[in-house]
């Protein structure tokens, strides 16, 4: 077996080597080519006298991009060449007869994976080697590509030589052009200045400030200025002045540097400018007249110093204790006069590479909640560091300046410290949740009959939850624990908050009115949801507690076992001092005590009993050993010690087996869930595939038929709109005429039915429309009967609508029903081949439904066995099954469009179920991870979904008081009135959702 | 003439000696160790250096419980060339090391062995059980085995497995906790099972096996043994017939009768412990015990005194039992039994079997329902937390009631929880109601009896409480709370001796053993591996078998495919063929299936055909396939002709036949090495 693998390893490594060599060659040749191209460009720029700036830019661009292209892709490729599986894949692509064996074998170069058979793997390797060894490396990685590049590079270099020769001045000229361009600077003409003492007369001073861009300040003009200026460094000061006498030329002396000044034709108006430097100074104007120069008085230049940013750091305490992989939050704020350029984390006085803000547009104030873990900063368990924030301003003129925040101490907890804190946190949360759950389970429901009583109840629920909310806020404030318990608590808090808010919205304090049915129903559902969330939360905490406890017991049993074995071995081999043996026995006793304590925390549990029942035996043996030593009988002590070690080992084995059993259970559950998720994914994909087929079929059917259907729908919709109007008019008539209650009541139902029918027709829901039409026909029969009875009861016809009006409604309804039948028949008329195809799809749909049923059964079984309930999975699968069934019927009835919709919903629900299962398994894994040894970094793994904001929503946990959250009265009234009526079934869910959304706002 | 006489004498002496060694073995088969020892002495076996004699001597030592001597003698025999085909040396070694430092309590006819520690608490009760069994049960069966009978109490499951011939899988599949073998009784200490079990009935049960084997010259098949033991094991206390089929067993039996899915007698071989599921084992026990109940009802209490000796004399056990019960043949007995059962008004509720949880695990793990229903168990956990952490008893009850399944009664643990909570709410009557039906359904739950005792105490019914605590003690003798309650109640009832007994037990339990020292049986120590199927399997010299086949043309065959097709070797010419002789009951065969499936899937396109051949009936195979689908072809060799033609005497045996129809390789047995050989041979042949 090893021979096959070593052969295989050599084979793929040879390929990797060759690929690496080829890549290296490719880099060299490409660079050579690039050099030639750059040379050619440089020559051309010189010859054609390009604008120098453009030439430089072009050259840099070409060199940069070319260099990148020349080096990076081959280098990346070369890096990948080390991937032996990729090499195998390449060979597989060339030798299809390998049928994946080479990949399989290469993946197992280090031996079979998991439960795989070593024999099978060896067989595969052997066969793969046999086939692949016939393929020379040169055919996998031919030299052709390299040769092509070499040829092109050669041609390019050949072109450089004649070009250089053809350049006027030759290579030297090219060099000079480029070299001079780099250093050239416009010379400034200067007058020989003879400074006179006479002060020039200037007036009408206008100063215009052009502030540097980093300040973000608009330009400012100061007319009638004194001439003194003030601004931040880098500000360009434009000075306009009028000379008392015409001058020939002028200059400006700022910071002892002479600058040009523009003089108008009349020689009176002067205009010059200078920049304010970092330090204060002055400037003067110089005027030239008839070969003489005079200077103005000295104008002061004052600098508005750009101070370093002011940075604050907001943390609860001066010290944060946190695990290496656990993130915590600190709120920081940085302010600067003109803007903050960059904000970074400072650790022990040194700025780190952890940049938390980088300027995109100028902002004078930046603040953010930084979430970071010690590991992000390179800290490890046991480290302590001072953490602060540094902000750099955006002063581009005199250089960016840093401002530092205060620091807090970060203490990085070891695994055990972290575990302890997590355990304390979870204990506290469980202690707080249990009484809330108990109250929820035992309080009478309904909690009140009137709106006022329910409002009071809601307030009481708020008080009930408050300690929990407070604790959650305290525990997570500023700290973001990306952990399972954060997820769990998020849900508990969310559902509790929803319930409390809803009662505040839906019920009126002090009101003696009955609450609307819908509000009552929603409250009951929210209350149930809160209870379930509490139950799940408590269970999650309990499981983690149990798993931690189990791990602790195993660790302590293991320590005890090690100590006992060591003592036994020492006793057997060394002539130990009796006192020392006794001291070690005391140590064993202490370890045993620790084990007992750990076991006693396991609650009502068989493991505790197991350890307890063995405690007596172990203690007994220890006592006997002590007695033997006391009697000087070391031989007996040795024998007894061996027995003690054996019994302790047996005890350790027992608890380890339990841990192993639970780990296996967890893994096996995960495997089953993975299989089920794969199956659900397959079903979802197949359902979507069937949906596509139906769509294709529908689109290929006779367009004329589609048109006829559309026309029919439109006619039916017109009829249903008219029906709704007629029905409404009839009811209005009854109300106006103050007709009898039961007549009105039936008519109200009739109007509702007519509305529902119209809505179903508008939605083009043929099946729904047929059912609604049937319901409406029945109701209107009842309306007709009551109208007839009312008429026959009286001598005079009653006031208001007549029986004939109802009859008209019924006739219209009959017409609608007939049209719907016609539409149905129309949809059934399909081309025979399409019909056959539809039947096939229908059959496939039925098969899929059966498969889903099996998967649903498996899912239910899994849900029964899973420690974490996959929330909503069963419901989603049930709905998927229903919609698949609908789709089958619709296909059978030739209603492709409806079937397509049902199929889409079915696929979505399957996906929902899969997602629910995935979440549940993820949580179960998180809980099981508590069983992992605490000496690693495994206890609380960060989530890998990239969200990392477990408790984001908890930052704003505050529950508003009743008054604060009160909605406008008229809105509430409209809402409650809307809820008062009977709601059609299909809108009930919609309505509930609406309210749920409302309370979530 | 003298020469002739000498030859006749020598022949006669040799024959006499051979017969005598056979007699030693026969004595052991009949659980008569003194007889075997006497014969050995007579034959001067101690001075006989032949390996087979040394092996026999070792066997006698082993039966007599002298493990160091047994191990040494067998080691010597093996060194001298004794072919240890069944791994006896490993068994002796495991037993030797397992029993290191053990002590023995001599109780006259019986000896109770245990590891010093809290199992000392069991000695009195165990020997009392054996004494009473001898007194009340042996007269129904014949004679007691002569000599001292040893009961060995194993402190851990691992040590029990080590000293038994069972594998870990056997024990956990069929919940076996005791064994009667090698003229000894092997018992797992009840401390291993927190929920408790009727360990004294179990001791009686295993003793019955010993007595039956003795009185039938070990000819009684397993079904007869188990039927007698299961039917009689409740009579040891006073000889009164208290046989009552457990409710769970009634449900199983009712269902099996209705669906005609009774376990066949063949399936019960070689041991009920080898049945694939605990449900089937329970069903088999239910069948057998009711069969014996029926026979006793028909033929009276002395039926076995007639049947067992006849079985010992070679009469077909079925015939012997049928005739003993007054029927013409076994079919008539079976028909009458079924018809009698139909009139027994069996409780047809299907109750879950309690899982075997040894060493640790939480309470939920030991519950028949909640151990596999996390969706219900969660409510029990919540109830427990509400009850114990915040003393919210009413709320706990709400959660507990959520854990009652829609279609079944509450689990025993749940019933206990509800009862305990009701008691905490000072509603003992409600507590009792919650528990009573559970005790009927799951009488072996020690916790239920303890809780009921607490309820009776709360109701002021000390006598009833005493009974319940006694029941609990009988099932789980290590529970200190039960001892305390018994001390209290016996004290109040002026029964100082009984109270003192439990005080002693409690002291043993708390102190981890007795206050006095005993001499250990031996102090030989060492490491050992637990037995596995592979270790059990010691095929006959397979190289010879292999060599006799390789290179020869494979004999042609035709078998029926599972889907009605006919599979013949001639149709597969030109392909490389793996012929796997297997059976559903064969552990190594089952273990090899995934490997064969992998080969089939990997190399089918290269021309490999895998064919599994079994001589089991189609129904058995189809039932097996429902749980373990096999994608390659399977053939039914109903009359075993193909198996015979290929001279297959052990399972699994795999033939690899090359494209020319010649045997390329033969592999007997399972395990990694076998799989490597198969894979290599297939590769060569392809």
């Amino acid at each position: 077996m090893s021979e096959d693998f070593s052969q295989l390893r050599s084979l793929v490594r040879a390929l990797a080597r060759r690929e690496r060599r080829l890549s290296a060659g490719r880099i060299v040749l490409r660079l050579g080519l690039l050099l030639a191209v750059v040379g050619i460009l440089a020559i051309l720029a010189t010859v054609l006298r390009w604008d120098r700036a453009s030439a430089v830019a072009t050259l840099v661009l070409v060199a940069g991009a070319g260099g990148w292209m020349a080096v990076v892709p081959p280098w990346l490729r070369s890096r990948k060449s080390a991937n032996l599986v990729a090499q195998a894949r390449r060979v597989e692509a060339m030798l299809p007869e390998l049928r994946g064996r080479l990949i399989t074998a290469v993946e197992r170069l280090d031996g079979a994976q998991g439960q795989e058979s070593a024999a099978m793997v060896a067989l595969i390797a052997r066969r793969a080697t046999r086939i692949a060894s016939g393929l020379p490396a040169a055919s996998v990685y031919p030299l052709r590509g390299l040769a092509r590049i070499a040829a092109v590079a050669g041609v390019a270099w050949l072109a450089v030589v004649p070009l250089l020769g053809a350049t006027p001045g030759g290579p030297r000229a090219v060099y000079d052009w480029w070299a001079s361009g780099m250093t050239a600077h416009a010379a400034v003409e200067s007058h020989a200045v003879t400074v006179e003492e006479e002060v020039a007369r200037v007036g009408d001073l206008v100063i215009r400030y052009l502030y540097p861009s980093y300040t973000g300040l608009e330009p400012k003009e100061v007319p009638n200025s004194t001439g003194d200026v003030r601004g931040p460094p880098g500000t360009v000061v434009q000075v306009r002045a009028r000379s008392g006498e015409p001058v020939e030329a002028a200059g400006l002396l700022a910071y002892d540097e002479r600058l040009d000044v523009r003089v108008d034709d009349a020689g009176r108006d002067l205009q010059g400018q200078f920049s304010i430097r970092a330090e204060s100074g002055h400037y003067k104007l110089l005027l030239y007249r008839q070969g003489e120069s005079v200077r103005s008085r000295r104008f002061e230049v004052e600098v508005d110093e750009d101070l370093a940013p002011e940075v604050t750091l907001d943390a609860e305490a001066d010290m944060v204790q946190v695990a290496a992989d656990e993130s915590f939050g600190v709120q920081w704020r940085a302010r600067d006069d003109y803007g903050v350029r960059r904000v970074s984390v400072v650790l022990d006085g040194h700025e780190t590479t952890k940049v938390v803000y980088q300027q995109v547009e100028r902002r004078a104030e930046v603040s953010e909640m930084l979430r970071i873990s010690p590991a992000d900063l390179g800290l490890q368990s046991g480290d302590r560091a001072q953490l602060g924030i540094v902000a750099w301003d955006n002063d581009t003129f005199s250089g960016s300046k840093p401002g530092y925040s205060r620091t807090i101490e970060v203490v990085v907890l070891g695994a055990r410290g972290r575990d302890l804190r997590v355990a304390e946190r979870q204990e506290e949360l469980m202690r707080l949740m249990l009484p809330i759950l108990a109250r929820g389970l035992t309080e009478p429901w309904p909690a009140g009959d009137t709106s006022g009583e329910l409002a009071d109840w809601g307030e009481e629920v708020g008080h009930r939850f408050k300690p929990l909310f407070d604790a959650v806020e305290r525990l997570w404030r500023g700290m973001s624990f990306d952990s399972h318990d954060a997820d769990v608590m998020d849900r508990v808090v969310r559902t509790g908050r929803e319930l409390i808010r809803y009662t505040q919205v839906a019920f009126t304090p002090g009101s003696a009115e009955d609450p609307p049915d819908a509000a009552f129903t929603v409250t009951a559902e929210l209350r149930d949801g809160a209870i379930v969330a509490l139950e799940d939360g408590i269970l999650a905490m309990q499981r983690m507690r149990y798993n931690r406890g189990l791990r602790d017991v195993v660790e302590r049993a293991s320590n005890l076992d090690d100590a006992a074995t060591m003592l036994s071995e020492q006793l057997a081999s060394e002539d130990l001092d009796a006192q020392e043996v006794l001291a070690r026995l005391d140590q064993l006793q202490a370890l045993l005590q620790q084990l007992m304590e750990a076991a006693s925390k396991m609650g009502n549990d068989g493991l505790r009993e197991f350890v307890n029942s063995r405690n007596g035996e172990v203690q007994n043996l220890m006592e006997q050993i002590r007695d033997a030593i006391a009697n000087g009988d070391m031989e007996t002590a040795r024998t007894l010690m061996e027995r003690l070690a054996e019994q302790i080992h047996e005890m350790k084995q027992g608890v380890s087996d339990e841990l192993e059993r639970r780990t296996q259970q967890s893994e096996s559950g995960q495997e089953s869930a993975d299989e089920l998720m794969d199956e659900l994914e397959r079903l979802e994909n197949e359902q979507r595939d069937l949906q596509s087929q139906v769509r294709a079929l529908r689109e290929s059917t006779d367009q004329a038929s589609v048109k006829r259907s559309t026309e029919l729908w439109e006619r039916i919709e017109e009829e249903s709109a008219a029906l709704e109007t007629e029905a409404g008019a009839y009811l209005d008539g009854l109300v106006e005429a103050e007709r009898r209650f039961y007549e009105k009541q039936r008519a109200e139902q009739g109007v509702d039915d007519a509305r529902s029918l119209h809505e179903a027709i508008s939605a083009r829901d043929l099946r729904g429309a047929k059912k609604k039409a049937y319901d409406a026909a029945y109701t209107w029969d009842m309306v007709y009967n009551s109208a007839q009875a009312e008429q026959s009861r009286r001598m005079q016809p009653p006031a208001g609508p007549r029986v004939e009006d109802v009859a008209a409604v019924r006739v219209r309804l009959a017409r609608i029903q007939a049209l719907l039948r016609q539409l149905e028949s129309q949809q059934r008329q399909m081309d025979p081949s399409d019909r056959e195809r539809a039947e096939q799809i229908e059959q496939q749909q039925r098969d899929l439904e059966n498969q889903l049923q099996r998967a649903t059964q498996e899912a239910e079984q899994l849900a029964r066995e899973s420690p974490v309930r996959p929330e909503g999975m069963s419901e989603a699968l049930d709905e998927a099954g229903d919609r698949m069934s609908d789709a089958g019927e619709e296909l059978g009835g030739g209603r492709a469009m409806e079937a397509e919709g049902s199929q889409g919903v079915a696929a979505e629900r399957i996906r929902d179920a899969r997602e629910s299962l995935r979440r549940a398994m993820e949580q179960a894994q998180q809980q099981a991870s508590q069983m992992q040894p605490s000496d690693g970094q495994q206890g609380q793994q960060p989530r890998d979904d990239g969200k990392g904001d477990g408790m984001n929503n908890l930052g704003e946990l505050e529950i508003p008081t009743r008054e604060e959250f009160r909605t406008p009265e008229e809105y509430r009234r409209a809402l409650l009135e809307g809820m008062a009526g009977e709601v059609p079934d299909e809108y009930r869910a919609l309505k509930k959702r609406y309210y749920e959304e409302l309370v979530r706002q | 003439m003298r020469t002739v006489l000498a030859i006749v004498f020598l022949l006669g002496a040799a024959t006499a000696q051979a017969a005598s060694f056979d007699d030693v073995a026969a004595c052991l088969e009949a659980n008569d160790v003194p007889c075997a020892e006497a014969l050995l002495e007579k034959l001067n076996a101690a001075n006989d250096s032949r390996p087979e004699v040394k092996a026999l001597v070792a066997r006698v030592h082993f039966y007599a419980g002298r493990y160091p001597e047994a191990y040494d003698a067998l080691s010597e025999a093996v060194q001298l060339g004794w072919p240890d085909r069944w791994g006896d040396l490993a068994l002796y070694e495991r037993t030797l090391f397992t029993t290191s430092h053990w002590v023995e309590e001599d109780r006259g006819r019986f000896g109770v062995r245990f590891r010093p520690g809290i199992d000392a608490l069991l000695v009195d009760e165990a020997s009392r059980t054996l004494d009473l069994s001898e007194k009340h049960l042996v007269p129904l069966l014949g004679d007691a085995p002569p000599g001292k009978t040893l009961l060995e109490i194993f402190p851990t499951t691992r040590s029990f497995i080590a000293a038994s011939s069972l594998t870990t899988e056997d024990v956990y599949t069929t919940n076996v906790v005791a064994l009667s073998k090698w003229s000894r009784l092997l018992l797992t200490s009840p401390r291993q099972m927190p929920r408790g079990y009727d360990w004294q009935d179990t001791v009686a049960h295993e003793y019955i096996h010993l007595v039956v084997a003795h009185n039938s010259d070990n000819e009684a098949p397993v079904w007869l043994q188990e039927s007698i033991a299961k039917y009689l094991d409740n009579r040891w206390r006073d000889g009164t017939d208290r046989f009552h089929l457990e409710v769970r067993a009634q449900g199983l039996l009712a269902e099996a009768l209705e669906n005609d899915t009774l376990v066949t007698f063949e399936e019960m071989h070689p041991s009920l412990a080898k049945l694939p599921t605990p449900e089937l084992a329970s069903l088999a026990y239910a069948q057998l015990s009711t069969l014996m109940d029926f026979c006793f009802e028909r033929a009276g209490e002395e039926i076995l005194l007639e049947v067992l000796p006849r079985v010992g004399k070679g009469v077909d056990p079925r015939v012997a039992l049928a005739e003993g019960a007054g029927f013409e043949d076994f079919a008539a007995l079976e028909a009458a039994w079924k018809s009698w059962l139909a009139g027994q008004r069996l409780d047809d509720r299907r109750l879950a079997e309690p899982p075997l949880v040894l060493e640790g695990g939480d309470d939920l793990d030991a519950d028949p329902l909640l151990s596999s229903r996390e969706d219900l168990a969660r409510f029990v956990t919540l109830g427990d937390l509400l009850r114990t952490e915040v003393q919210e008893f009413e709320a706990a009850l709400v959660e507990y009631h959520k854990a009652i399944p829609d279609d079944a009664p509450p689990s025993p643990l749940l019933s206990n929880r509800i009862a305990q909570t009701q008691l905490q709410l000072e509603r003992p009557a409600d507590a009792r109601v919650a528990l009573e039906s559970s005790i009927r359904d799951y009488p072996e739950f020690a916790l239920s009896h303890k809780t009921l005792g607490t309820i009776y105490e709360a109701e002021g019914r000390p006598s009833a409480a005493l009974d319940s605590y006694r029941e609990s003690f009988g099932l789980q003798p290590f529970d200190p709370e039960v001892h305390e309650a018994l001390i209290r109640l016996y004290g109040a009832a002026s029964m100082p001796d009984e109270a003192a007994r439990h005080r002693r037990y409690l002291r043993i339990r708390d102190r981890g053993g007795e206050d006095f020292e005993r001499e250990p049986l031996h102090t030989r120590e060492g490491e050992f591996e637990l037995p596995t199927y592979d270790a059990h399997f010691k095929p006959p010299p397979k190289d010879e078998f292999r060599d006799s086949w390789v290179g020869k043309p494979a004999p042609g065959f035709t078998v029926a495919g599972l889907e009605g097709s006919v599979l013949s070797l001639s149709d597969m010419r030109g392909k490389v063929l793996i012929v796997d002789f297997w059976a559903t009951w064969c552990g190594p065969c089952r273990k090899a299936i995934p490997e064969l499936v992998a080969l089939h899937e990997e190399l089918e396109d290269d021309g490999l055909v895998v064919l599994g051949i079994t001589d089991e009936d189609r129904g058995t195979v189809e039932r097996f396939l429902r749980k373990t689908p096999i994608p390659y072809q399977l053939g039914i060799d109903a009359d075993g002709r193909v198996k015979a033609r290929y001279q297959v005497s052990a399972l699994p045996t795999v033939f690899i036949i090359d494209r020319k129809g010649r045997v390329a390789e033969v592999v007997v047995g399972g395990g990694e090495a076998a799989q490597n050989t198969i894979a290599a041979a297939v590769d060569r042949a392809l």
Side-chain angles (χ1 to χ4, degrees), chain A residues 379-592:
Chain A
L379 296 175
Q380 296 174 340
S381 299
D383 286 352
R384 299 171 88 99
Q386 291 291 332
L387 178 137
I389 297 289
V390 58
W392 293 84
D393 71 10
N394 63 348
D395 185 348
T396 49
F397 185 79
S398 47
S400 189
K401 293 174 290 300
Y404 292 89
S405 73
R406 74 177 177 99
T407 58
I408 56 169
E409 186 172 18
V410 178
V411 178
V412 189
L413 294 172
R416 206 166 271 285
R418 182 256 319 272
D419 281 0
L420 193 65
R421 217 200 42 219
V422 170
E424 283 170 1
R425 182 174 75 208
Q426 293 179 352
E427 287 291 333
E428 181 182 352
L429 291 169
M430 188 152 80
R431 230 178 15 253
L432 289 167
M433 282 191 283
L434 279 167
I436 306 175
L437 173 66
R439 186 85 183 91
L441 290 171
T442 52
E443 69 186 348
W445 185 258
D449 295 328
T450 65
S451 186
E453 285 169 355
L454 286 166
D456 291 344
W457 172 80
E459 195 169 1
E460 196 270 319
V461 173
H463 291 308
R464 207 182 286 174
F465 270 92
K466 191 165 185 312
L468 180 66
F469 291 164
D470 288 348
V472 168
E473 194 175 350
R474 174 169 47 75
L475 288 168
W476 269 275
R477 184 189 297 160
M479 307 277 278
S480 169
F481 294 95
D482 304 333
S483 58
H484 177 50
D485 57 356
D487 284 343
V488 167
M489 290 316 297
D490 187 30
R491 186 166 153 239
V492 173
V493 169
R494 188 164 37 79
T495 52
R497 192 167 53 170
E498 277 172 17
L499 172 64
I500 296 162
R501 283 191 175 169
Y502 184 76
T503 58
Q504 288 171 352
V505 173
F507 304 115
T508 314
S511 166
E513 286 177 18
D514 287 350
D517 285 350
F520 188 79
T521 309
V522 172
T523 306
E525 283 168 0
L526 290 174
R527 176 179 170 275
D528 290 349
I531 287 178
V532 170
L534 276 167
E535 288 178 337
D536 286 348
I538 292 166
L539 279 171
M541 302 293 164
Q542 163 64 7
R543 281 195 201 100
M544 286 190 271
R545 174 162 80 171
Y546 182 88
N547 290 340
R548 263 197 312 273
L550 182 57
R551 183 194 64 201
D552 201 24
V553 168
V554 171
E555 280 176 2
R556 287 176 194 285
S558 200
N559 292 342
L560 181 65
D561 184 33
D562 291 346
T565 308
M566 199 186 294
L567 181 54
S568 171
E569 283 168 1
Q570 283 177 345
L571 261 176
S573 60
E574 293 171 26
D575 189 17
L576 274 184
D577 175 48
Q579 287 307 315
E580 193 179 337
V581 176
L582 287 173
R584 293 201 179 179
L585 270 176
D586 289 344
Q587 191 192 0
L588 271 188
Q589 185 95 35
L591 288 172
L592 179 67

Side-chain angles (χ1 to χ4, degrees), chain B residues 40 134 249 256 338 403 414 447 475 520 641:
Chain B
L40 279 184
E134 186 163 36
K338 283 185 185 171
L414 181 57
L447 177 64
L475 295 165
R641 219 174 275 176

Side-chain angles (χ1 to χ4, degrees), chain A residues 20 312 342 423 522 985:
Chain A
R20 263 200 307 280
T312 58
R342 187 180 81 231
V522 172
D985 287 346

Side-chain angles (χ1 to χ4, degrees), chain B residues 395-510:
Chain B
L397 275 181
V398 176
E399 291 291 3
Y400 288 145
H401 279 95
K402 287 188 200 171
I404 300 176
D406 298 333
D407 53 351
S411 77
L413 179 70
L414 181 57
S415 301
N416 271 281
R417 293 288 198 267
I418 292 173
Q420 286 159 354
T421 314
Q422 294 284 18
L423 202 56
Q424 283 170 310
L425 288 165
E426 298 180 352
R427 299 196 289 244
D430 291 340
R432 189 159 32 78
V433 169
L435 206 57
E436 276 170 352
S437 65
S438 178
I439 286 184
R440 271 197 306 278
D441 293 345
Y442 293 97
E444 71 274 53
F445 257 74
L447 177 64
S448 300
H449 297 283
K450 181 169 96 171
T451 309
L452 192 59
T454 321
I455 295 168
Y456 284 139
E457 272 199 282
E459 286 183 326
R461 297 166 61 189
S463 167
L466 195 58
D467 289 345
S468 292
Y469 283 127
R470 269 200 216 115
E471 284 284 342
S472 181
F473 167 70
L475 295 165
Q476 177 46 276
F478 294 100
D479 188 337
E481 289 174 11
V482 172
H483 288 297
E484 282 160 8
L486 285 169
I487 293 166
R488 193 170 57 238
L489 290 168
Y490 278 130
S494 302
M495 297 168 77
D497 292 347
E498 290 297 312
R501 184 162 65 100
H502 284 284
R503 233 176 256 121
R504 179 172 159 254
Y505 290 162
L506 193 57
R507 198 169 54 246
I508 291 175
R509 199 252 180 219
D510 289 346

